[in-house]
Amino acid sequence: MKMLKLTLCHLYPELLNLYGDSGNVLTLVKRCQWRGIDVNVINHNIGDKTDFKDVDIFFIGGGADGNLGIACNDINSIKPQLEFAIEQDRVLLAICGGYQLLGKYYKGKRDTVDGLGLLDFYTEAADKYFVGNIVVDTGDYYLVGFENHMGRTYLNGLNPLGHVISGFGNNGKDKTEGVRYKNVIGTYLHGPLLPKNPKLCDEIISIALKNKYNIEDLQELDDSLEIKARQHTLKSINNKFISFA
Ligand code: GLN
């Protein structure tokens, strides 16, 4: 049987990597390799002339306001390639600051950063950080993570990734967390997100395999360790949440 291979592009790995966000790339790679699926990881940094046409999964992490400002010019220069990829149903996972850059703008405490405008939402910094563990109900499964952001994101009617069970989410008011449009997944969940959320990680891998090879089934893995990690965080928030593991 031909070796299955996916290409993952990590956008601005040195610049946007808060609270272990690059661990999401490691998790995607390992959960593919454990299934005998090869993964080619391409790093795209400021000024790189990267060929994005064969990328199956894009990843962008979070960052401090200043780093978002540094990334914004370069990411706007690759907007056409990202738009094309999104319309081709490729996966884009964006965490916190990287998520904010997908919208129209991020109005920080000092400067306003022009977002890509790929999605019709906006973010404005408030006076205090939303910090702490967070639990989100996507409707299919629960996500567990850690949030730490000044930004308040308003979706303008776009579908959220999920609804906040515990924590703050997009803006601490409308109980939405993140955004989901086609295979674009934006979220405030750091941690990193994917090691403690194997169902989301496997959903991303499944989408990429379906797009590239029209493969529907994904081999199950032993997630007992991941479930223990989820239970630990859920119990630390509220004993009643243990059933969400
Ligand atoms: N600097 C942005 C904010 O505070 C993003 C922070 C992050 O990526 N964790 O909202």
Side-chain angles (χ1 to χ4, degrees):
M1 183 180 155
K2 189 172 82 167
M3 177 85 166
L4 300 178
K5 182 169 186 173
L6 294 175
T7 299
L8 188 158
C9 179
H10 190 172
L11 297 168
Y12 315 109
E14 286 95 29
L15 198 59
L16 299 177
N17 173 24
L18 273 187
Y19 314 120
D21 288 337
S22 292
N24 292 304
V25 172
L26 292 177
T27 307
L28 283 160
V29 168
K30 290 313 290 178
R31 291 186 73 84
C32 282
Q33 289 175 343
W34 290 336
R35 294 172 163 112
I37 301 164
D38 192 14
V39 183
N40 173 33
V41 178
I42 303 171
N43 289 330
H44 172 81
N45 290 295
I46 302 267
D48 286 353
K49 299 293 173 229
T50 306
D51 180 357
F52 297 105
K53 71 177 182 319
D54 296 328
V55 173
D56 302 298
I57 301 168
F58 292 86
F59 174 76
I60 182 169
D65 287 12
N67 286 3
L68 295 183
I70 294 167
C72 103
N73 291 334
D74 190 88
I75 199 167
N76 272 286
S77 74
I78 63 172
K79 179 177 175 178
Q81 294 98 313
L82 294 178
E83 273 179 323
F84 177 76
I86 289 166
E87 291 318 309
Q88 294 291 308
D89 288 330
R90 308 289 168 89
V91 179
L92 169 56
L93 174 62
I95 310 290
C96 202
Y99 159 36
Q100 294 168 341
L101 284 178
L102 304 183
K104 292 191 290 188
Y105 64 85
Y106 169 71
K107 188 175 177 197
K109 297 310 278 178
R110 276 203 297 271
D111 306 308
T112 294
V113 174
D114 291 333
L116 284 165
L118 290 175
L119 298 176
D120 185 30
F121 69 80
Y122 66 91
T123 303
E124 296 183 350
D127 294 327
K128 74 178 181 75
Y129 279 90
F130 281 163
V131 188
N133 287 321
I134 177 171
V135 182
V136 175
D137 180 0
T138 69
D140 296 320
Y141 42 77
Y142 294 94
L143 296 173
V144 181
F146 170 78
E147 63 182 325
N148 185 355
H149 55 101
M150 287 261 271
R152 306 299 189 254
T153 295
Y154 299 91
L155 293 181
N156 282 336
L158 287 165
N159 291 327
L161 176 58
H163 288 87
V164 176
I165 301 288
S166 175
F168 299 99
N170 281 327
N171 50 53
K173 293 189 190 118
D174 63 14
K175 290 287 183 193
T176 65
E177 199 294 316
V179 72
R180 182 79 191 251
Y181 168 75
K182 292 175 78 82
N183 292 320
V184 176
I185 297 166
T187 177
Y188 274 111
L189 274 64
H190 293 286
L193 168 70
L194 295 180
K196 274 199 281 205
N197 297 285
K199 285 184 179 171
L200 175 58
C201 189
D202 288 353
E203 182 180 344
I204 289 170
I205 295 169
S206 298
I207 291 167
L209 290 173
K210 172 80 175 145
N211 283 341
K212 188 166 186 178
Y213 297 107
N214 200 24
I215 288 177
E216 298 278 354
D217 301 324
L218 194 63
Q219 173 199 337
E220 290 293 313
L221 294 176
D222 172 7
D223 288 337
S224 45
L225 206 55
E226 290 81 355
I227 290 166
K228 277 204 182 82
R230 289 167 63 80
Q231 288 171 334
H232 176 77
T233 301
L234 287 162
K235 265 176 72 178
S236 73
I237 300 168
N238 183 323
N239 262 322
K240 284 189 296 182
F241 292 169
I242 198 77
S243 60
F244 297 158

Short mmCIF file of all heavy atoms in Angstrom, two decimals, residues 65-103:
data_model
loop_
_atom_site.label_atom_id
_atom_site.label_comp_id
_atom_site.label_asym_id
_atom_site.label_seq_id
_atom_site.Cartn_x
_atom_site.Cartn_y
_atom_site.Cartn_z
N ASP A 65 1.14 41.18 21.52
CA ASP A 65 0.67 42.20 20.56
C ASP A 65 1.77 42.62 19.59
O ASP A 65 1.56 42.72 18.38
CB ASP A 65 0.17 43.44 21.33
CG ASP A 65 -1.16 43.17 22.01
OD1 ASP A 65 -1.57 41.99 22.08
OD2 ASP A 65 -1.80 44.13 22.46
N GLY A 66 2.97 42.89 20.12
CA GLY A 66 4.06 43.37 19.26
C GLY A 66 4.38 42.38 18.16
O GLY A 66 4.61 42.75 17.00
N ASN A 67 4.37 41.10 18.50
CA ASN A 67 4.71 40.07 17.49
C ASN A 67 3.61 39.94 16.45
O ASN A 67 3.88 39.63 15.29
CB ASN A 67 4.96 38.73 18.19
CG ASN A 67 6.30 38.70 18.91
OD1 ASN A 67 7.02 39.71 18.93
ND2 ASN A 67 6.64 37.56 19.49
N LEU A 68 2.36 40.20 16.87
CA LEU A 68 1.26 40.18 15.89
C LEU A 68 1.49 41.29 14.86
O LEU A 68 1.31 41.09 13.66
CB LEU A 68 -0.09 40.37 16.57
CG LEU A 68 -0.54 39.27 17.54
CD1 LEU A 68 -1.94 39.57 18.08
CD2 LEU A 68 -0.52 37.90 16.89
N GLY A 69 1.96 42.44 15.37
CA GLY A 69 2.22 43.57 14.46
C GLY A 69 3.33 43.24 13.48
O GLY A 69 3.27 43.58 12.30
N ILE A 70 4.37 42.51 13.97
CA ILE A 70 5.48 42.14 13.08
C ILE A 70 5.00 41.14 12.01
O ILE A 70 5.36 41.23 10.85
CB ILE A 70 6.64 41.52 13.91
CG1 ILE A 70 7.25 42.58 14.83
CG2 ILE A 70 7.73 40.93 13.00
CD1 ILE A 70 8.17 41.99 15.90
N ALA A 71 4.14 40.21 12.43
CA ALA A 71 3.69 39.16 11.49
C ALA A 71 2.70 39.69 10.47
O ALA A 71 2.61 39.17 9.36
CB ALA A 71 3.05 38.01 12.28
N CYS A 72 1.98 40.78 10.82
CA CYS A 72 0.80 41.14 10.00
C CYS A 72 1.16 41.51 8.57
O CYS A 72 0.48 41.11 7.64
CB CYS A 72 -0.04 42.20 10.71
SG CYS A 72 0.11 43.85 10.11
N ASN A 73 2.28 42.23 8.34
CA ASN A 73 2.62 42.60 6.95
C ASN A 73 2.91 41.35 6.11
O ASN A 73 2.41 41.19 5.01
CB ASN A 73 3.81 43.55 6.91
CG ASN A 73 3.45 44.91 7.48
OD1 ASN A 73 2.27 45.30 7.44
ND2 ASN A 73 4.42 45.61 8.04
N ASP A 74 3.70 40.45 6.70
CA ASP A 74 4.08 39.26 5.92
C ASP A 74 2.87 38.38 5.66
O ASP A 74 2.64 37.90 4.55
CB ASP A 74 5.16 38.45 6.66
CG ASP A 74 5.74 37.35 5.76
OD1 ASP A 74 6.70 37.63 5.03
OD2 ASP A 74 5.17 36.23 5.80
N ILE A 75 2.02 38.21 6.68
CA ILE A 75 0.87 37.30 6.49
C ILE A 75 -0.11 37.90 5.49
O ILE A 75 -0.74 37.17 4.71
CB ILE A 75 0.19 36.93 7.82
CG1 ILE A 75 -0.65 35.65 7.64
CG2 ILE A 75 -0.66 38.07 8.40
CD1 ILE A 75 -1.12 34.99 8.92
N ASN A 76 -0.20 39.24 5.47
CA ASN A 76 -1.07 39.85 4.45
C ASN A 76 -0.50 39.65 3.05
O ASN A 76 -1.24 39.60 2.08
CB ASN A 76 -1.28 41.34 4.76
CG ASN A 76 -2.48 41.54 5.71
OD1 ASN A 76 -3.63 41.41 5.30
ND2 ASN A 76 -2.21 41.75 6.98
N SER A 77 0.84 39.46 2.96
CA SER A 77 1.44 39.25 1.63
C SER A 77 1.13 37.85 1.10
O SER A 77 1.23 37.61 -0.11
CB SER A 77 2.97 39.45 1.70
OG SER A 77 3.58 38.34 2.34
N ILE A 78 0.74 36.93 1.98
CA ILE A 78 0.42 35.57 1.51
C ILE A 78 -1.08 35.30 1.59
O ILE A 78 -1.53 34.16 1.46
CB ILE A 78 1.22 34.50 2.31
CG1 ILE A 78 0.84 34.51 3.81
CG2 ILE A 78 2.72 34.64 2.12
CD1 ILE A 78 1.44 33.35 4.62
N LYS A 79 -1.88 36.37 1.76
CA LYS A 79 -3.33 36.22 1.86
C LYS A 79 -3.93 35.46 0.68
O LYS A 79 -4.74 34.55 0.88
CB LYS A 79 -3.99 37.59 2.01
CG LYS A 79 -5.51 37.54 2.10
CD LYS A 79 -6.13 38.91 2.32
CE LYS A 79 -7.65 38.82 2.28
NZ LYS A 79 -8.28 40.14 2.53
N PRO A 80 -3.55 35.76 -0.57
CA PRO A 80 -4.18 35.04 -1.71
C PRO A 80 -3.97 33.52 -1.61
O PRO A 80 -4.89 32.74 -1.88
CB PRO A 80 -3.49 35.63 -2.94
CG PRO A 80 -2.98 36.96 -2.50
CD PRO A 80 -2.62 36.80 -1.04
N GLN A 81 -2.78 33.13 -1.20
CA GLN A 81 -2.52 31.67 -1.09
C GLN A 81 -3.36 31.04 0.02
O GLN A 81 -3.86 29.92 -0.11
CB GLN A 81 -1.03 31.41 -0.80
CG GLN A 81 -0.09 31.80 -1.95
CD GLN A 81 0.52 33.17 -1.74
OE1 GLN A 81 -0.20 34.13 -1.41
NE2 GLN A 81 1.82 33.30 -1.96
N LEU A 82 -3.52 31.78 1.13
CA LEU A 82 -4.32 31.24 2.25
C LEU A 82 -5.80 31.19 1.86
O LEU A 82 -6.49 30.21 2.15
CB LEU A 82 -4.12 32.08 3.51
CG LEU A 82 -2.71 32.06 4.12
CD1 LEU A 82 -2.64 32.98 5.35
CD2 LEU A 82 -2.29 30.64 4.50
N GLU A 83 -6.26 32.23 1.18
CA GLU A 83 -7.67 32.26 0.71
C GLU A 83 -7.94 31.07 -0.21
O GLU A 83 -8.93 30.36 -0.06
CB GLU A 83 -7.94 33.55 -0.07
CG GLU A 83 -8.35 34.71 0.80
CD GLU A 83 -8.60 35.99 0.01
OE1 GLU A 83 -7.87 36.25 -0.97
OE2 GLU A 83 -9.51 36.74 0.40
N PHE A 84 -7.00 30.82 -1.13
CA PHE A 84 -7.17 29.69 -2.07
C PHE A 84 -7.22 28.37 -1.31
O PHE A 84 -8.10 27.53 -1.54
CB PHE A 84 -6.00 29.67 -3.07
CG PHE A 84 -6.05 28.52 -4.03
CD1 PHE A 84 -6.96 28.53 -5.10
CD2 PHE A 84 -5.23 27.40 -3.87
CE1 PHE A 84 -7.03 27.45 -5.99
CE2 PHE A 84 -5.30 26.32 -4.75
CZ PHE A 84 -6.21 26.35 -5.81
N ALA A 85 -6.32 28.23 -0.34
CA ALA A 85 -6.26 26.98 0.44
C ALA A 85 -7.58 26.76 1.20
O ALA A 85 -8.13 25.66 1.21
CB ALA A 85 -5.09 27.03 1.42
N ILE A 86 -8.10 27.83 1.79
CA ILE A 86 -9.35 27.71 2.56
C ILE A 86 -10.51 27.31 1.64
O ILE A 86 -11.31 26.43 1.96
CB ILE A 86 -9.65 29.05 3.28
CG1 ILE A 86 -8.66 29.27 4.42
CG2 ILE A 86 -11.09 29.09 3.80
CD1 ILE A 86 -8.65 30.68 4.97
N GLU A 87 -10.55 27.92 0.46
CA GLU A 87 -11.63 27.58 -0.49
C GLU A 87 -11.46 26.16 -1.03
O GLU A 87 -12.42 25.56 -1.49
CB GLU A 87 -11.71 28.62 -1.61
CG GLU A 87 -12.21 29.99 -1.13
CD GLU A 87 -13.39 29.91 -0.13
OE1 GLU A 87 -14.39 29.22 -0.44
OE2 GLU A 87 -13.29 30.49 0.98
N GLN A 88 -10.23 25.63 -0.96
CA GLN A 88 -9.99 24.23 -1.35
C GLN A 88 -10.22 23.27 -0.18
O GLN A 88 -9.83 22.11 -0.22
CB GLN A 88 -8.51 24.08 -1.80
CG GLN A 88 -8.15 24.84 -3.05
CD GLN A 88 -8.81 24.24 -4.30
OE1 GLN A 88 -8.70 23.04 -4.54
NE2 GLN A 88 -9.52 25.07 -5.04
N ASP A 89 -10.82 23.81 0.90
CA ASP A 89 -11.15 23.01 2.10
C ASP A 89 -9.91 22.49 2.84
O ASP A 89 -10.01 21.52 3.59
CB ASP A 89 -12.05 21.81 1.73
CG ASP A 89 -13.46 22.28 1.39
OD1 ASP A 89 -13.89 23.31 1.95
OD2 ASP A 89 -14.10 21.64 0.53
N ARG A 90 -8.75 23.15 2.63
CA ARG A 90 -7.57 22.74 3.43
C ARG A 90 -7.82 23.20 4.87
O ARG A 90 -8.61 24.12 5.12
CB ARG A 90 -6.29 23.40 2.90
CG ARG A 90 -6.05 23.21 1.41
CD ARG A 90 -5.68 21.79 1.03
NE ARG A 90 -5.74 21.58 -0.41
CZ ARG A 90 -4.70 21.81 -1.21
NH1 ARG A 90 -3.57 22.27 -0.71
NH2 ARG A 90 -4.82 21.59 -2.50
N VAL A 91 -7.09 22.54 5.80
CA VAL A 91 -7.28 22.86 7.21
C VAL A 91 -6.37 24.02 7.62
O VAL A 91 -5.21 24.09 7.20
CB VAL A 91 -6.95 21.64 8.10
CG1 VAL A 91 -7.14 21.99 9.57
CG2 VAL A 91 -7.81 20.45 7.72
N LEU A 92 -6.92 24.95 8.40
CA LEU A 92 -6.12 26.01 9.02
C LEU A 92 -6.48 26.06 10.49
O LEU A 92 -7.63 26.35 10.84
CB LEU A 92 -6.40 27.37 8.36
CG LEU A 92 -5.85 28.61 9.05
CD1 LEU A 92 -4.34 28.54 9.26
CD2 LEU A 92 -6.20 29.86 8.25
N LEU A 93 -5.52 25.71 11.35
CA LEU A 93 -5.73 25.79 12.80
C LEU A 93 -4.96 27.00 13.31
O LEU A 93 -3.76 27.12 13.08
CB LEU A 93 -5.22 24.52 13.51
CG LEU A 93 -5.24 24.55 15.04
CD1 LEU A 93 -6.66 24.70 15.58
CD2 LEU A 93 -4.59 23.27 15.61
N ALA A 94 -5.69 27.92 13.95
CA ALA A 94 -5.10 29.19 14.41
C ALA A 94 -5.40 29.39 15.89
O ALA A 94 -6.57 29.28 16.30
CB ALA A 94 -5.66 30.36 13.60
N ILE A 95 -4.35 29.67 16.66
CA ILE A 95 -4.48 29.79 18.11
C ILE A 95 -4.32 31.25 18.53
O ILE A 95 -3.34 31.90 18.16
CB ILE A 95 -3.42 28.95 18.85
CG1 ILE A 95 -3.40 27.52 18.33
CG2 ILE A 95 -3.66 29.01 20.37
CD1 ILE A 95 -4.57 26.65 18.65
N CYS A 96 -5.27 31.74 19.28
CA CYS A 96 -5.21 33.04 19.96
C CYS A 96 -4.77 34.17 19.02
O CYS A 96 -5.52 34.56 18.15
CB CYS A 96 -4.33 32.94 21.19
SG CYS A 96 -4.70 34.22 22.37
N GLY A 97 -3.56 34.69 19.17
CA GLY A 97 -3.11 35.78 18.30
C GLY A 97 -3.18 35.40 16.84
O GLY A 97 -3.58 36.21 15.98
N GLY A 98 -2.82 34.17 16.53
CA GLY A 98 -2.91 33.69 15.13
C GLY A 98 -4.36 33.67 14.67
O GLY A 98 -4.67 34.01 13.52
N TYR A 99 -5.25 33.32 15.57
CA TYR A 99 -6.70 33.35 15.30
C TYR A 99 -7.15 34.79 15.05
O TYR A 99 -7.82 35.10 14.06
CB TYR A 99 -7.41 32.71 16.49
CG TYR A 99 -8.86 33.00 16.75
CD1 TYR A 99 -9.79 33.18 15.72
CD2 TYR A 99 -9.34 33.04 18.06
CE1 TYR A 99 -11.13 33.42 16.00
CE2 TYR A 99 -10.67 33.27 18.34
CZ TYR A 99 -11.56 33.46 17.30
OH TYR A 99 -12.90 33.71 17.58
N GLN A 100 -6.69 35.70 15.92
CA GLN A 100 -7.09 37.10 15.78
C GLN A 100 -6.69 37.67 14.41
O GLN A 100 -7.41 38.48 13.82
CB GLN A 100 -6.47 37.94 16.91
CG GLN A 100 -7.00 37.58 18.29
CD GLN A 100 -6.19 38.18 19.42
OE1 GLN A 100 -5.03 38.58 19.23
NE2 GLN A 100 -6.75 38.22 20.61
N LEU A 101 -5.52 37.22 13.91
CA LEU A 101 -5.03 37.73 12.61
C LEU A 101 -5.91 37.31 11.44
O LEU A 101 -5.84 37.90 10.37
CB LEU A 101 -3.59 37.25 12.35
CG LEU A 101 -2.48 37.95 13.13
CD1 LEU A 101 -1.13 37.31 12.79
CD2 LEU A 101 -2.44 39.45 12.81
N LEU A 102 -6.76 36.32 11.60
CA LEU A 102 -7.64 35.88 10.51
C LEU A 102 -8.79 36.86 10.30
O LEU A 102 -9.44 36.85 9.26
CB LEU A 102 -8.24 34.49 10.80
CG LEU A 102 -7.27 33.34 11.09
CD1 LEU A 102 -8.05 32.04 11.27
CD2 LEU A 102 -6.25 33.20 9.96
N GLY A 103 -9.05 37.69 11.32
CA GLY A 103 -10.19 38.60 11.25
C GLY A 103 -9.86 39.92 10.58
O GLY A 103 -8.81 40.07 9.94
#
